[in-house]
PDB file of all heavy atoms in Angstrom:
ATOM      1  N   GLY C  94     -41.905   3.297  18.116  1.00 97.00           N
ATOM      2  CA  GLY C  94     -43.270   3.495  18.573  1.00 97.00           C
ATOM      3  C   GLY C  94     -44.230   4.073  17.504  1.00 97.00           C
ATOM      4  O   GLY C  94     -45.324   3.616  17.352  1.00 97.00           O
ATOM      5  N   ASP C  95     -43.634   4.894  16.638  1.00 98.00           N
ATOM      6  CA  ASP C  95     -44.424   5.547  15.586  1.00 98.00           C
ATOM      7  C   ASP C  95     -44.857   4.434  14.563  1.00 98.00           C
ATOM      8  O   ASP C  95     -46.027   4.336  14.209  1.00 98.00           O
ATOM      9  CB  ASP C  95     -43.494   6.501  14.902  1.00 98.00           C
ATOM     10  CG  ASP C  95     -44.208   7.477  13.908  1.00 98.00           C
ATOM     11  OD1 ASP C  95     -45.289   7.891  14.242  1.00 98.00           O
ATOM     12  OD2 ASP C  95     -43.571   7.788  12.875  1.00 98.00           O
ATOM     13  N   ALA C  96     -43.903   3.547  14.239  1.00 98.00           N
ATOM     14  CA  ALA C  96     -44.139   2.531  13.229  1.00 98.00           C
ATOM     15  C   ALA C  96     -44.953   1.335  13.740  1.00 98.00           C
ATOM     16  O   ALA C  96     -45.835   0.734  13.121  1.00 98.00           O
ATOM     17  CB  ALA C  96     -42.869   2.007  12.637  1.00 98.00           C
ATOM     18  N   LEU C  97     -44.780   1.002  15.062  1.00 98.00           N
ATOM     19  CA  LEU C  97     -45.237  -0.288  15.472  1.00 98.00           C
ATOM     20  C   LEU C  97     -46.199  -0.262  16.630  1.00 98.00           C
ATOM     21  O   LEU C  97     -46.813  -1.247  16.991  1.00 98.00           O
ATOM     22  CB  LEU C  97     -44.097  -1.224  15.739  1.00 98.00           C
ATOM     23  CG  LEU C  97     -43.326  -1.510  14.444  1.00 98.00           C
ATOM     24  CD1 LEU C  97     -41.937  -1.995  14.759  1.00 98.00           C
ATOM     25  CD2 LEU C  97     -44.142  -2.525  13.616  1.00 98.00           C
ATOM     26  N   ALA C  98     -46.325   0.848  17.338  1.00 98.00           N
ATOM     27  CA  ALA C  98     -47.409   1.002  18.304  1.00 98.00           C
ATOM     28  C   ALA C  98     -48.568   1.583  17.666  1.00 98.00           C
ATOM     29  O   ALA C  98     -49.428   1.028  17.104  1.00 98.00           O
ATOM     30  CB  ALA C  98     -46.908   1.721  19.560  1.00 98.00           C
ATOM     31  N   ILE C  99     -48.598   2.964  17.643  1.00 98.00           N
ATOM     32  CA  ILE C  99     -49.681   3.709  17.070  1.00 98.00           C
ATOM     33  C   ILE C  99     -49.851   3.483  15.580  1.00 98.00           C
ATOM     34  O   ILE C  99     -50.890   3.478  14.990  1.00 98.00           O
ATOM     35  CB  ILE C  99     -49.568   5.206  17.402  1.00 98.00           C
ATOM     36  CG1 ILE C  99     -50.837   5.984  16.947  1.00 98.00           C
ATOM     37  CG2 ILE C  99     -48.272   5.749  16.753  1.00 98.00           C
ATOM     38  CD1 ILE C  99     -50.848   7.398  17.538  1.00 98.00           C
ATOM     39  N   GLY C 100     -48.762   3.127  14.888  1.00 98.00           N
ATOM     40  CA  GLY C 100     -48.796   2.950  13.440  1.00 98.00           C
ATOM     41  C   GLY C 100     -48.775   1.439  13.029  1.00 98.00           C
ATOM     42  O   GLY C 100     -48.569   1.248  11.902  1.00 98.00           O
ATOM     43  N   GLY C 101     -48.868   0.575  14.023  1.00 98.00           N
ATOM     44  CA  GLY C 101     -48.758  -0.863  13.652  1.00 98.00           C
ATOM     45  C   GLY C 101     -49.674  -1.393  12.573  1.00 98.00           C
ATOM     46  O   GLY C 101     -49.253  -2.097  11.688  1.00 98.00           O
ATOM     47  N   ASN C 102     -50.989  -0.868  12.662  1.00 98.00           N
ATOM     48  CA  ASN C 102     -51.867  -1.302  11.660  1.00 98.00           C
ATOM     49  C   ASN C 102     -51.515  -0.881  10.205  1.00 98.00           C
ATOM     50  O   ASN C 102     -51.574  -1.622   9.287  1.00 98.00           O
ATOM     51  CB  ASN C 102     -53.255  -0.712  12.014  1.00 98.00           C
ATOM     52  CG  ASN C 102     -54.393  -1.486  11.341  1.00 98.00           C
ATOM     53  OD1 ASN C 102     -54.295  -2.699  11.072  1.00 98.00           O
ATOM     54  ND2 ASN C 102     -55.466  -0.797  11.022  1.00 98.00           N
ATOM     55  N   HIS C 103     -51.052   0.326  10.127  1.00 98.00           N
ATOM     56  CA  HIS C 103     -50.656   0.803   8.788  1.00 98.00           C
ATOM     57  C   HIS C 103     -49.405   0.110   8.307  1.00 98.00           C
ATOM     58  O   HIS C 103     -49.250  -0.092   7.103  1.00 98.00           O
ATOM     59  CB  HIS C 103     -50.403   2.396   8.827  1.00 98.00           C
ATOM     60  CG  HIS C 103     -51.541   3.121   9.479  1.00 98.00           C
ATOM     61  ND1 HIS C 103     -52.859   2.982   9.026  1.00 98.00           N
ATOM     62  CD2 HIS C 103     -51.536   3.929  10.521  1.00 98.00           C
ATOM     63  CE1 HIS C 103     -53.653   3.750   9.803  1.00 98.00           C
ATOM     64  NE2 HIS C 103     -52.873   4.341  10.714  1.00 98.00           N
ATOM     65  N   PHE C 104     -48.556  -0.245   9.282  1.00 98.00           N
ATOM     66  CA  PHE C 104     -47.317  -0.918   8.871  1.00 98.00           C
ATOM     67  C   PHE C 104     -47.625  -2.335   8.254  1.00 98.00           C
ATOM     68  O   PHE C 104     -47.122  -2.583   7.140  1.00 98.00           O
ATOM     69  CB  PHE C 104     -46.459  -1.137  10.170  1.00 98.00           C
ATOM     70  CG  PHE C 104     -45.112  -1.780   9.871  1.00 98.00           C
ATOM     71  CD1 PHE C 104     -44.132  -0.998   9.445  1.00 98.00           C
ATOM     72  CD2 PHE C 104     -45.055  -3.105  10.068  1.00 98.00           C
ATOM     73  CE1 PHE C 104     -42.837  -1.639   9.188  1.00 98.00           C
ATOM     74  CE2 PHE C 104     -43.718  -3.712   9.867  1.00 98.00           C
ATOM     75  CZ  PHE C 104     -42.643  -2.956   9.448  1.00 98.00           C
ATOM     76  N   ILE C 105     -48.462  -3.046   8.878  1.00 98.00           N
ATOM     77  CA  ILE C 105     -48.760  -4.388   8.410  1.00 98.00           C
ATOM     78  C   ILE C 105     -49.492  -4.313   7.101  1.00 98.00           C
ATOM     79  O   ILE C 105     -49.380  -5.124   6.127  1.00 98.00           O
ATOM     80  CB  ILE C 105     -49.399  -5.370   9.398  1.00 98.00           C
ATOM     81  CG1 ILE C 105     -50.697  -4.720   9.877  1.00 98.00           C
ATOM     82  CG2 ILE C 105     -48.451  -5.679  10.542  1.00 98.00           C
ATOM     83  CD1 ILE C 105     -51.486  -5.714  10.790  1.00 98.00           C
ATOM     84  N   HIS C 106     -50.343  -3.277   6.934  1.00 98.00           N
ATOM     85  CA  HIS C 106     -51.209  -3.281   5.658  1.00 98.00           C
ATOM     86  C   HIS C 106     -50.441  -2.740   4.505  1.00 98.00           C
ATOM     87  O   HIS C 106     -50.667  -3.138   3.400  1.00 98.00           O
ATOM     88  CB  HIS C 106     -52.489  -2.449   5.942  1.00 98.00           C
ATOM     89  CG  HIS C 106     -53.495  -3.236   6.788  1.00 98.00           C
ATOM     90  ND1 HIS C 106     -54.301  -4.220   6.244  1.00 98.00           N
ATOM     91  CD2 HIS C 106     -53.717  -3.330   8.118  1.00 98.00           C
ATOM     92  CE1 HIS C 106     -55.000  -4.773   7.185  1.00 98.00           C
ATOM     93  NE2 HIS C 106     -54.683  -4.228   8.330  1.00 98.00           N
ATOM     94  N   ALA C 107     -49.503  -1.781   4.769  1.00 98.00           N
ATOM     95  CA  ALA C 107     -48.649  -1.326   3.694  1.00 98.00           C
ATOM     96  C   ALA C 107     -47.748  -2.507   3.236  1.00 98.00           C
ATOM     97  O   ALA C 107     -47.602  -2.737   1.993  1.00 98.00           O
ATOM     98  CB  ALA C 107     -47.761  -0.163   4.113  1.00 98.00           C
ATOM     99  N   ALA C 108     -47.317  -3.361   4.145  1.00 98.00           N
ATOM    100  CA  ALA C 108     -46.544  -4.587   3.773  1.00 98.00           C
ATOM    101  C   ALA C 108     -47.408  -5.437   3.015  1.00 98.00           C
ATOM    102  O   ALA C 108     -46.931  -5.989   1.990  1.00 98.00           O
ATOM    103  CB  ALA C 108     -45.967  -5.191   5.071  1.00 98.00           C
ATOM    104  N   ARG C 109     -48.680  -5.698   3.463  1.00 98.00           N
ATOM    105  CA  ARG C 109     -49.503  -6.634   2.814  1.00 98.00           C
ATOM    106  C   ARG C 109     -49.796  -6.260   1.342  1.00 98.00           C
ATOM    107  O   ARG C 109     -49.809  -7.055   0.423  1.00 98.00           O
ATOM    108  CB  ARG C 109     -50.808  -6.693   3.600  1.00 98.00           C
ATOM    109  CG  ARG C 109     -51.878  -7.601   3.023  1.00 98.00           C
ATOM    110  CD  ARG C 109     -53.183  -7.542   3.812  1.00 98.00           C
ATOM    111  NE  ARG C 109     -53.690  -6.217   4.045  1.00 98.00           N
ATOM    112  CZ  ARG C 109     -54.494  -5.555   3.103  1.00 98.00           C
ATOM    113  NH1 ARG C 109     -54.766  -6.186   1.986  1.00 98.00           N
ATOM    114  NH2 ARG C 109     -55.063  -4.447   3.341  1.00 98.00           N
ATOM    115  N   ARG C 110     -49.923  -4.944   1.072  1.00 98.00           N
ATOM    116  CA  ARG C 110     -50.217  -4.579  -0.281  1.00 98.00           C
ATOM    117  C   ARG C 110     -49.020  -4.604  -1.168  1.00 98.00           C
ATOM    118  O   ARG C 110     -49.100  -4.450  -2.360  1.00 98.00           O
ATOM    119  CB  ARG C 110     -50.706  -3.051  -0.237  1.00 98.00           C
ATOM    120  CG  ARG C 110     -52.008  -2.829   0.361  1.00 98.00           C
ATOM    121  CD  ARG C 110     -52.506  -1.335   0.186  1.00 98.00           C
ATOM    122  NE  ARG C 110     -53.677  -1.192   1.008  1.00 98.00           N
ATOM    123  CZ  ARG C 110     -53.762  -0.688   2.188  1.00 98.00           C
ATOM    124  NH1 ARG C 110     -52.654  -0.083   2.677  1.00 98.00           N
ATOM    125  NH2 ARG C 110     -54.817  -0.535   2.810  1.00 98.00           N
TER     126      ARG C 110
END
Side-chain angles (χ1 to χ4, degrees):
Chain C
D95 194 39
L97 293 158
I99 187 168
N102 200 30
H103 310 304
F104 183 82
I105 58 175
H106 286 277
R109 175 180 61 80
R110 290 188 190 102

